Amino acid sequence: MALETLSPDWDFDRFDDGSQKIHAEVQLKNYGKFLEEYTSQLRRIEDALDDSVGDVWDFKLDPIALKLLPYEQSSLLELINTENKVLNKVITVYAALCCEIKKLKYEAETKFYNGLLFYGEGATDSSMVEGDSQIQMGRFISFLQELSCFVSRCYEVVMNVIHQLAVLYTSNKNAPKIIVTTGVHFQTMYEHLGELLTVLLTLDEIVDNHATLKDHWTMYKRLLKSVHHNPSKFGIQEDKLKPFEKLLLKLEGQLLDGMIFQACIEQQFDTLNGGVAVSKNSTFAEEFAHSIRTIFANVEAKLGEPSEIDQRDKYVGICGLFVLHFQIFRTVDKKFYKSLLDIGKKVPAITLTANIIWFADNFLIQKMPAAAKLLDRRSHHAIKTQRESFLQQKAQLLTKEMQSYYVFVSSWMTKMESILSKEQRMDKFAEDLSNRCNVFIQGFLYAYSLSTIIKTTMNLYMSMQKPMTKTSVKALCRLVELLKAIEHTFYRRSMVVADSVTHITQHLQHQALNSISIAKKRVISDKKYSEQRLDVLSALVLAENTLNGPSTKQRRLIVSLALSVGTQLKTFKDEELLPLQVVMKKLDLISELKERVRTQCDCCFLYWHRAVFPIYLDDVYDNAVDASRLQYMFSALRDCVPAMMHSRHLESYEILLECYDKEIMEVLNEHLLDKLCKEIEKDLRLSVHTHLKLDDRNPYRVGMKDLAHFFSLNPIRFFNRFIDIKVYVTHYLDKTFYNLTTVALHDWATYSEMRNLATQRYGLIMTEAHLPSQTLEQIFIERTSNNKHLNTINIRHIANSIRTHGTGIMNTTVNFTYQFLRKKFYIFSQFMYDEHIKSRLIKDIRFFREVKDQNDHKYPFERAEKFNRGIRKLGITPDGQSYLDQFRQLISQIGNAMGYVRMIRSGGLHCCSSAIRFVPDLEDIVNFEELVKEEGLSEETQKAARQLDSVLTDLTRNSAEGTEYFKMLVDVFAPEFRSPKNMHLRNFYIIVPPLTLNFVEHSISCKEKLNKKNKGGAAFTDDGFAMGVAYILKLLNQYQEFDSLHWFQSVREKYVKEIRAVAKQQNVQSTNQDEKLLQTMNLTHKRLEVCLQEFELLYFSLSSARIFFRADKTAAEENQEKKEREEESVKTSNGDLSTAAPADPVVK
């Protein structure tokens, strides 16, 4: 039987037994539990990564930020959906045009303004090579082409807006009425049109103020003429040149002649063949003028007031609209024209973007010369005079203004912290939201006022080419810090602000919906239905529906357009309309709070005024108490980085960023860090040398500057680095103290004292230099003497001998050492070949291989001790020495010979360095022979100059390199030692442990004899043994084999174990109070410690000696390296040698 298909709403009809609810509650509880655990886990991670706890965000460290701007998912067609189809179409068209204008404005502000502004930056005149400017312009052509397309698109949009408005407000009686327009004023449309016109006139102003762009363009055109005369030379086809030249002419005419705005307003707005009539449309002309006046009335009231939000930008748009109105309809309202110009007295200049400043009077006179004649010259002159007096007043009032804003912003920050830290009470939720809303808006208004003061003042000074006083610069920099402090405050409390903003928008939407629903009820209650009334009702319904949702830009725009229709026929009373407009303005501000705050606090303009940065740093240095404000200034300097990324004239925008980074860092180093380092060093020196008669340092008389404030600063984030002042100064002092200690080792105590003082006074954690307190010297000491003193020989003796007898003695000494080593190695080989020795060593090697896994790969101490004792059974010399004692002496003699060779080399280098110290610069030695020839001196003089050159060359080479005698003595014996016929020598590494035991016993015995009356055989050092062992291990290539024994580790473990056992017994015996036994144990303990110390010293000596023979490389690795070096030298000297036949091997 076929099953019936279930209806889609079967579950709504189903019986509910409550089980689903229980199940859902369990799931919710589990989910809640999971969330709690996850939150605590995240909090633990946060605490581990950062020392700050809670909801406070750090502007310098956070890798992420929170964006609150809601994104509209629905299209305009979905949002504008009422039953009134005609109204739908009108609102949709206008909304779409407004959205298009916003997109164009955003593209201009981010991409095109910055691309043009930063053109030519990043390359100084001195660093630019001939032709660089043409290359930059060549890269920039594609950008200009994109700008040309953008401008054309703007023209089309302006045309469309005018047409759409002209069709709606038509004076043609025969034309069909779309909607009744009496009392309907789409003010939003005109505001948006004004924004687009502002974009075009801003582009004009940027190009007009850009001398570099124009110069490079002229050079590029000149280059193109050269290419035209000889295209083959530049590898360009002639047929491609003509279209390119045409394109350049088009770009120049459209973009670079200052006609972007003019060309837009001079378009043919009247379409032919019965299309849209614009210039003769009196209704539209009247509506256009009415809208401009209405917007102006709103703007004029707020301009220059503390509650100003964006009125300046709107004023620029109004001027653009006024010129457009004049261009289309050719009528001028003289009174309104005068009102527009009078604004110049209140607002002397407006910053369009970055460092581009705009004067309304110049613009209106230039664009409307006919209207300008209506006013007398005195009026125009008065505006210019007003501008200069404004600047003078500003200079005088800046410091006072800064101080008052300092108080305002500080109290606002306190209020912000307190209101956001308070718990929200549910009974006063609405009141709390209103308070928060007002505090947020107040913060934004302060930011807007500060931004306006800074930009207008700085750009006016720049534009009028007047110098700023240091006081003004300092005050403006303080205002920049306050601006960034506002941004940082909003950022610090990002989480709470984000939470509040959503609640505030909902609260404001609720208020707006209440007002609209009252008006809607009023319309419905009136039963006289007409088309106009239906339009009003539909518009109110549309506004209501749109407000029910997230407060996105599109929704707010639709509400604004809908209310333009919905407020006619007095649907709202005057006392209702004004609060609704206030609520909508607040909603606009709060919905875009983060974005608007960021825009107002953006200090990108500082790039063009970075000349103030050195003065600012000097001020910070002089007033170290406020050092923490550096964070704000660097945050402001960082703001231009995103804008720089749109530069297109260099190979990559990163070159521009690098130049900027380098410039700022150089200024910082020069005006702050280096001064700070020098001052700290000077203070430490003077403090340490107080015993000398120095200048008066009494802080009551000469004042005192506490520079320690700089070291309590957190690292400053700039580009991809952190500037840590404390670390920088510490590194400088470490480096200085180290270098000066190496120059004068006897001053080590002074610098050590200065280090300690730096830690105490400034909290700087200094690095110990670890330099010896005196010069390191290599000395040979006579073993025994009948006299009361021992003879010594050191490096300086050798150097003096070489200076007296010449360098020949060095080769003689090395040859003698070679002969000496040959004899000693013959005895060495005989000893190792001895059957008794060889059999014992082979037995030991086999034993170690068997037990190493159980013994943790360590050679047993007992085995070495057994070998040492066992060898005495083979016989003893008359003076009581075993064969192993004699073998140890042999190795010491070999080691001493190698040490002597090293001292000869050091003496040679010492002699060379003494001889060459009179040459001023070893890197740049002049050729005396060439100089003598140029002067045309005698043959004898030339010969003398040649000799001098030869001597200088030899000295330079010798002082830099010296001869590697160790390497020579390794290379000469190693092949023989490693050959198969000398296999018996390969057992050497296993005899080293008993040898070291023997050496330690001998060393302790010699040192003990120093305290006896008969000092025969007494000695306090014998470094030759370690050097000899290291040398022989290298010859046999047995470093790895010896290391595999882990011998010194084994010794350390054995002695540490015995010392602990004795210490334990001592503790036991101390309770029994057996004094004799306790004394014995103390002696045992001391003997064990002495033995361990001797072994440690031998280990250090052997490790040091191994460095001379490059213990890090095996024979195979060295051969490979040697082979590569030889191949390299063959390649460099003669590339064809690789084909030659191989030479016969040399037989030794």
Side-chain angles (χ1 to χ4, degrees):
M1 188 176 78
L3 286 168
E4 283 185 16
T5 53
L6 295 167
S7 71
D9 6 84
W10 64 274
D11 50 349
F12 293 112
D13 306 325
R14 193 179 54 172
F15 170 69
D16 184 10
D17 59 355
S19 60
Q20 195 171 357
K21 191 181 176 187
I22 295 163
H23 183 65
E25 280 175 3
V26 170
Q27 287 300 328
L28 267 174
K29 206 176 266 181
N30 289 345
Y31 185 58
K33 210 184 219 175
F34 161 74
L35 272 179
E36 275 176 32
E37 283 174 12
Y38 188 56
T39 309
S40 64
Q41 214 173 339
L42 286 176
R43 185 58 55 85
R44 280 203 304 277
I45 293 168
E46 184 191 23
D47 291 347
L49 292 175
D50 194 5
D51 53 1
S52 63
V53 182
D55 296 320
V56 176
W57 286 24
D58 189 340
F59 199 84
K60 305 179 297 300
L61 301 175
D62 292 339
I64 55 166
L66 198 62
K67 282 204 169 185
L68 306 181
L69 202 65
Y71 178 73
E72 186 55 71
Q73 304 283 0
S74 310
S75 68
L76 288 175
L77 291 169
E78 289 169 323
L79 290 172
I80 304 165
N81 187 16
T82 66
E83 290 172 7
N84 189 335
K85 303 295 179 197
V86 178
L87 184 71
N88 284 1
K89 283 182 182 175
V90 172
I91 303 287
T92 305
V93 166
Y94 289 168
L97 281 168
C98 289
C99 288
E100 178 71 13
I101 288 169
K102 283 290 183 195
K103 279 179 189 167
L104 289 169
K105 186 184 175 190
Y106 176 76
E107 190 178 1
E109 284 174 346
T110 50
K111 180 180 173 183
F112 293 112
Y113 290 179
N114 294 323
L116 286 167
L117 283 166
F118 284 102
Y119 178 81
E121 292 295 317
T124 54
D125 295 335
S126 56
S127 68
M128 277 185 75
V129 189
E130 177 66 38
D132 269 10
S133 46
Q134 289 92 328
I135 291 167
Q136 284 188 12
M137 184 49 78
R139 292 193 192 107
F140 203 62
I141 294 291
S142 63
F143 178 86
L144 290 175
Q145 208 169 349
E146 287 167 31
L147 180 58
S148 169
C149 297
F150 170 81
V151 168
S152 303
R153 176 68 179 162
C154 290
Y155 291 173
E156 287 171 23
V157 173
V158 170
M159 178 73 82
N160 202 322
V161 170
I162 296 293
H163 282 178
Q164 295 290 359
L165 288 166
V167 170
L168 194 67
Y169 295 92
T170 179
S171 56
N172 186 353
K173 300 281 189 281
N174 303 324
K177 281 276 183 192
I178 300 163
I179 58 168
V180 180
T181 53
T182 318
V184 176
H185 307 292
F186 286 106
Q187 201 176 307
T188 311
M189 280 300 293
Y190 293 97
E191 285 176 4
H192 278 75
L193 182 57
E195 284 178 25
L196 191 53
L197 293 174
T198 305
V199 166
L200 296 175
L201 69 88
T202 304
L203 288 169
D204 265 341
E205 289 293 324
I206 292 172
V207 172
D208 190 45
N209 286 301
H210 212 315
T212 312
L213 181 69
K214 290 176 180 173
D215 291 347
H216 286 195
W217 181 262
T218 312
M219 288 178 182
Y220 192 72
K221 285 199 298 184
R222 210 175 292 148
L223 170 76
L224 216 64
K225 279 183 183 168
S226 310
V227 175
H228 204 76
H229 292 308
N230 194 356
S232 58
K233 186 183 174 185
F234 294 91
I236 292 170
Q237 295 169 17
E238 206 165 345
D239 56 338
K240 286 187 178 176
L241 267 177
K242 276 276 190 297
F244 187 59
E245 281 180 335
K246 275 184 186 171
L247 170 71
L248 291 187
L249 279 171
K250 182 199 162 198
L251 291 176
E252 186 172 9
Q254 187 186 13
L255 306 174
L256 304 180
D257 291 343
M259 297 293 286
I260 298 173
F261 177 80
Q262 195 63 34
C264 176
I265 60 172
E266 285 177 358
Q267 289 181 96
Q268 185 62 44
F269 290 104
D270 291 314
T271 51
L272 306 168
N273 306 327
V276 183
V278 178
S279 57
K280 301 284 189 286
N281 189 340
S282 57
T283 312
F284 177 45
E286 205 177 302
E287 174 60 27
F288 201 142
H290 174 269
S291 292
I292 296 175
R293 278 196 296 273
T294 311
I295 299 167
F296 179 70
N298 294 340
V299 166
E300 191 182 23
K302 292 276 187 184
L303 261 179
E305 297 299 313
S307 58
E308 185 185 338
I309 298 173
D310 55 359
Q311 278 74 18
R312 275 162 208 262
D313 306 333
K314 282 186 179 171
Y315 172 64
V316 180
I318 292 165
C319 292
L321 288 169
F322 184 66
V323 173
L324 175 62
H325 182 274
F326 169 75
Q327 191 66 37
I328 297 172
F329 304 110
R330 292 290 165 184
T331 56
V332 180
D333 181 343
K334 189 179 174 185
K335 192 179 173 189
F336 184 64
Y337 179 68
K338 196 169 184 319
S339 305
L340 270 182
L341 282 173
D342 283 348
I343 291 290
K345 291 172 186 173
K346 204 192 282 187
V347 180
I350 291 171
T351 301
L352 296 175
T353 180
N355 62 335
I356 305 298
I357 201 153
W358 182 82
F359 306 112
D361 53 318
N362 291 354
F363 173 76
L364 291 169
I365 292 162
Q366 186 195 342
K367 298 297 176 191
M368 297 171 65
K373 288 172 189 169
L374 299 173
L375 287 175
D376 55 348
R377 280 187 181 177
R378 198 180 296 161
S379 305
H380 294 308
H381 186 68
I383 294 166
K384 283 179 180 153
T385 315
Q386 176 69 26
R387 205 173 291 150
E388 286 177 13
S389 64
F390 168 83
L391 210 51
Q392 285 170 354
Q393 284 173 0
K394 209 64 176 167
Q396 290 163 4
L397 297 172
L398 255 180
T399 310
K400 272 188 183 176
E401 218 166 1
M402 180 270 289
Q403 286 165 349
S404 55
Y405 269 111
Y406 210 88
V407 175
F408 293 155
V409 174
S410 302
S411 65
W412 171 80
M413 285 166 78
T414 314
K415 203 182 286 180
M416 185 90 164
E417 288 292 335
S418 96
I419 204 164
L420 294 182
S421 304
K422 270 195 290 189
E423 283 292 317
Q424 286 182 295
R425 285 168 56 185
M426 295 315 290
D427 55 332
K428 290 188 175 180
F429 196 61
E431 187 189 332
D432 190 37
L433 285 180
S434 296
N435 289 342
R436 287 190 178 202
C437 177
N438 293 336
V439 170
F440 292 165
I441 290 172
Q442 188 57 64
F444 168 74
L445 291 175
Y446 283 145
Y448 185 85
S449 304
L450 287 167
S451 175
T452 307
I453 291 168
I454 299 161
K455 287 178 186 173
T456 309
T457 311
M458 281 187 158
N459 289 335
L460 255 179
Y461 270 115
M462 199 185 213
S463 168
M464 296 170 77
Q465 295 182 335
K466 294 205 169 182
M468 260 195 276
T469 62
K470 271 194 178 182
T471 317
S472 298
V473 170
K474 289 173 188 176
L476 284 166
C477 289
R478 283 278 185 175
L479 292 176
V480 169
E481 288 164 10
L482 289 177
L483 191 60
K484 294 315 281 184
I486 292 172
E487 187 182 10
H488 284 213
T489 305
F490 274 113
Y491 184 84
R492 279 184 75 236
R493 309 298 298 197
S494 283
M495 296 297 281
V496 193
V497 170
D499 186 42
S500 301
V501 161
T502 49
H503 287 132
I504 293 167
T505 48
Q506 280 183 344
H507 184 55
L508 292 170
Q509 282 172 323
H510 171 69
Q511 288 175 343
L513 284 167
N514 276 350
S515 297
I516 292 168
S517 69
I518 292 165
K520 195 173 82 172
K521 280 174 190 169
R522 198 174 289 135
V523 174
I524 293 168
S525 65
D526 193 343
K527 300 296 181 200
K528 293 175 191 170
Y529 282 114
S530 63
E531 269 187 40
Q532 199 174 357
R533 200 163 283 283
L534 283 170
D535 285 347
V536 170
L537 190 58
S538 302
L540 292 174
V541 169
L542 175 61
E544 248 185 350
N545 292 346
T546 317
L547 271 172
N548 275 315
S551 179
T552 60
K553 283 181 183 177
Q554 287 88 330
R555 283 175 185 266
R556 293 196 312 275
L557 171 66
I558 293 164
V559 171
S560 171
L561 290 167
L563 288 177
S564 300
V565 179
T567 50
Q568 58 179 318
L569 295 176
K570 297 201 173 174
T571 45
F572 290 88
K573 292 177 184 173
D574 288 344
E575 64 269 19
E576 289 171 1
L577 193 57
L578 197 64
L580 177 62
Q581 285 171 341
V582 170
V583 164
M584 291 312 294
K585 273 183 188 169
K586 278 188 178 179
L587 189 61
D588 272 350
L589 257 179
I590 293 295
S591 301
E592 296 175 10
L593 183 69
K594 276 302 230 353
E595 278 60 34
R596 288 198 181 213
V597 167
R598 193 172 64 241
T599 308
Q600 287 313 319
C601 299
D602 183 16
C603 294
C604 181
F605 63 89
L606 271 183
Y607 177 85
W608 313 101
H609 303 284
R610 57 192 187 280
V612 303
F613 189 50
I615 299 163
Y616 169 78
L617 287 176
D618 291 340
D619 180 45
V620 171
Y621 179 74
D622 293 337
N623 302 298
V625 182
D626 286 347
S628 55
R629 60 200 176 107
L630 270 172
Q631 299 278 10
Y632 294 124
M633 184 51 80
F634 270 93
S635 173
L637 289 169
R638 250 196 343 260
D639 283 347
C640 61
V641 173
M644 283 182 176
M645 290 178 178
H646 292 282
S647 62
R648 292 269 288 274
H649 61 289
L650 298 169
E651 266 182 271
S652 164
Y653 66 80
E654 285 175 7
I655 298 167
L656 180 58
L657 292 179
E658 220 170 278
C659 285
Y660 179 59
D661 181 14
K662 188 179 170 191
E663 184 184 342
I664 295 296
M665 288 311 295
E666 279 173 2
V667 172
L668 177 70
N669 288 341
E670 184 187 338
H671 289 268
L672 181 68
L673 297 181
D674 292 347
K675 275 161 78 174
L676 187 62
C677 291
K678 297 277 191 306
E679 189 62 36
I680 298 286
E681 187 188 353
K682 181 184 165 188
D683 179 53
L684 293 173
R685 282 185 189 284
L686 294 175
S687 302
V688 167
H689 295 93
T690 43
H691 57 283
L692 303 173
K693 285 189 176 179
L694 302 165
D695 298 339
D696 188 4
R697 298 191 70 228
N698 187 330
Y700 292 106
R701 283 198 289 271
V702 295
M704 185 183 171
K705 194 187 288 180
D706 187 4
L707 298 174
H709 291 286
F710 285 107
F711 306 126
S712 58
L713 282 185
N714 286 331
I716 302 163
R717 183 170 151 205
F718 189 60
F719 277 84
N720 53 355
R721 74 163 73 80
F722 279 97
I723 303 161
D724 194 330
I725 296 176
K726 189 175 181 179
V727 168
Y728 185 91
V729 175
T730 306
H731 175 69
Y732 168 82
L733 293 175
D734 274 336
K735 186 176 156 191
T736 308
F737 294 171
Y738 184 91
N739 289 342
L740 293 174
T741 309
T742 54
V743 172
L745 284 167
H746 52 274
D747 281 342
W748 67 273
T750 308
Y751 289 114
S752 186
E753 200 177 329
M754 283 164 75
R755 271 191 202 91
N756 294 337
L757 192 61
T759 307
Q760 287 167 18
R761 189 172 288 180
Y762 298 111
L764 304 178
I765 299 156
M766 307 289 287
T767 311
E768 195 54 52
H770 296 295
L771 281 169
S773 54
Q774 293 299 326
T775 312
L776 281 173
E777 182 65 282
Q778 191 179 348
I779 304 172
F780 267 78
I781 301 162
E782 192 179 6
R783 186 182 288 279
T784 52
S785 171
N786 296 327
N787 302 324
K788 287 187 177 179
H789 62 269
L790 298 172
N791 291 320
T792 64
I793 180 169
N794 62 26
I795 292 170
R796 277 196 292 278
H797 294 142
I798 302 286
N800 292 337
S801 181
I802 291 168
R803 199 176 296 119
T804 308
H805 303 291
T807 51
I809 64 165
M810 293 171 76
N811 291 339
T812 309
T813 309
V814 174
N815 285 337
F816 176 79
T817 307
Y818 169 67
Q819 300 298 336
F820 175 79
L821 287 173
R822 269 182 63 185
K823 289 175 189 168
K824 294 295 172 188
F825 281 139
Y826 178 70
I827 301 164
F828 173 83
S829 179
Q830 277 185 319
F831 178 81
M832 293 297 289
Y833 199 70
D834 183 276
E835 204 56 51
H836 295 288
I837 303 295
K838 189 161 70 171
S839 62
R840 278 169 185 267
L841 293 177
I842 291 167
K843 207 186 291 178
D844 281 355
I845 290 169
R846 199 180 300 125
F847 169 79
F848 179 65
R849 281 178 187 156
E850 286 168 7
V851 301
K852 67 179 179 183
D853 288 333
Q854 299 117 41
N855 218 8
D856 197 16
H857 291 261
K858 290 179 193 130
Y859 188 77
F861 184 88
E862 296 74 25
R863 192 80 184 177
E865 213 169 23
K866 186 182 172 188
F867 186 99
N868 205 2
R869 281 198 306 270
I871 207 161
R872 297 186 78 82
K873 293 173 187 174
L874 297 175
I876 294 171
T877 61
D879 54 352
Q881 288 193 330
S882 68
Y883 286 124
L884 200 61
D885 289 328
Q886 290 171 306
F887 189 54
R888 171 182 47 72
Q889 284 175 355
L890 176 77
I891 289 171
S892 292
Q893 288 164 1
I894 291 169
N896 283 330
M898 294 304 289
Y900 191 63
V901 166
R902 183 170 182 275
M903 191 162 75
I904 292 291
R905 180 176 182 269
S906 300
L909 287 172
H910 194 281
C911 177
C912 283
S913 63
S914 301
I916 208 162
R917 68 185 169 193
F918 302 106
V919 178
D921 186 1
L922 292 180
E923 300 296 320
D924 182 25
I925 298 175
V926 292
N927 189 310
F928 284 96
E929 190 181 359
E930 284 179 11
L931 292 174
V932 167
K933 278 181 182 174
E934 278 174 23
E935 293 297 321
L937 299 176
S938 66
E939 185 62 39
E940 287 84 357
T941 312
Q942 287 182 26
K943 194 175 179 184
R946 201 177 302 124
Q947 290 287 357
L948 178 58
D949 284 339
S950 168
V951 168
L952 283 174
T953 307
D954 286 350
L955 280 174
T956 310
R957 191 176 62 246
N958 290 338
S959 67
E961 299 166 11
T963 312
E964 291 284 356
Y965 292 124
F966 270 23
K967 193 170 180 304
M968 282 167 50
L969 290 170
V970 168
D971 291 347
V972 77
F973 288 114
E976 202 63 31
F977 265 63
R978 295 169 191 172
S979 72
K981 66 180 182 185
N982 287 325
M983 283 295 284
H984 60 284
L985 300 179
R986 298 280 173 90
N987 304 329
F988 175 73
Y989 76 95
I990 206 78
I991 204 175
V992 175
L995 263 176
T996 56
L997 261 178
N998 185 286
F999 173 78
V1000 166
E1001 285 172 9
H1002 165 72
S1003 180
I1004 291 168
S1005 158
C1006 291
K1007 285 176 183 177
E1008 282 171 353
K1009 284 175 185 172
L1010 281 170
N1011 300 321
K1012 293 179 181 174
K1013 197 171 183 183
N1014 179 15
K1015 290 186 169 54
F1020 64 88
T1021 180
D1022 185 2
D1023 291 338
F1025 175 73
M1027 181 72 93
V1029 170
Y1031 178 43
I1032 295 166
L1033 284 171
K1034 179 67 180 178
L1035 290 178
L1036 291 164
N1037 189 29
Q1038 285 194 330
Y1039 280 134
Q1040 286 185 350
E1041 283 85 344
F1042 174 66
D1043 289 342
S1044 70
L1045 300 176
H1046 299 100
W1047 165 240
F1048 287 101
Q1049 220 172 324
S1050 179
V1051 170
R1052 197 175 294 114
E1053 279 179 13
K1054 189 256 181 193
Y1055 279 113
V1056 167
K1057 194 177 173 184
E1058 285 190 11
I1059 287 166
R1060 280 178 186 159
V1062 170
K1064 205 174 179 183
Q1065 279 184 311
Q1066 276 177 316
N1067 290 337
V1068 173
Q1069 291 304 328
S1070 61
T1071 54
N1072 297 343
Q1073 295 178 344
D1074 189 339
E1075 276 189 31
K1076 280 191 177 178
L1077 196 59
L1078 209 58
Q1079 278 177 352
T1080 312
M1081 282 185 177
N1082 284 340
L1083 288 169
T1084 310
H1085 191 274
K1086 196 176 178 184
R1087 184 180 56 78
L1088 289 170
E1089 279 187 336
V1090 167
C1091 289
L1092 181 59
Q1093 188 185 9
E1094 282 298 324
F1095 264 110
E1096 291 283 329
L1097 290 171
L1098 176 59
Y1099 171 64
F1100 296 142
S1101 297
L1102 186 57
S1103 300
S1104 306
R1106 282 173 65 166
I1107 293 165
F1108 296 134
F1109 301 103
R1110 295 191 67 189
D1112 58 324
K1113 299 235 166 148
T1114 60
E1117 285 171 341
E1118 278 189 0
N1119 289 338
Q1120 180 64 28
E1121 194 180 289
K1122 190 177 175 186
K1123 198 175 170 187
E1124 283 170 7
R1125 267 206 307 272
E1126 283 172 1
E1127 283 174 5
E1128 194 66 37
S1129 63
V1130 166
K1131 278 179 193 170
T1132 51
S1133 61
N1134 186 355
D1136 302 326
L1137 273 179
S1138 54
T1139 54
D1144 292 332
V1146 179
V1147 181
K1148 280 190 183 170

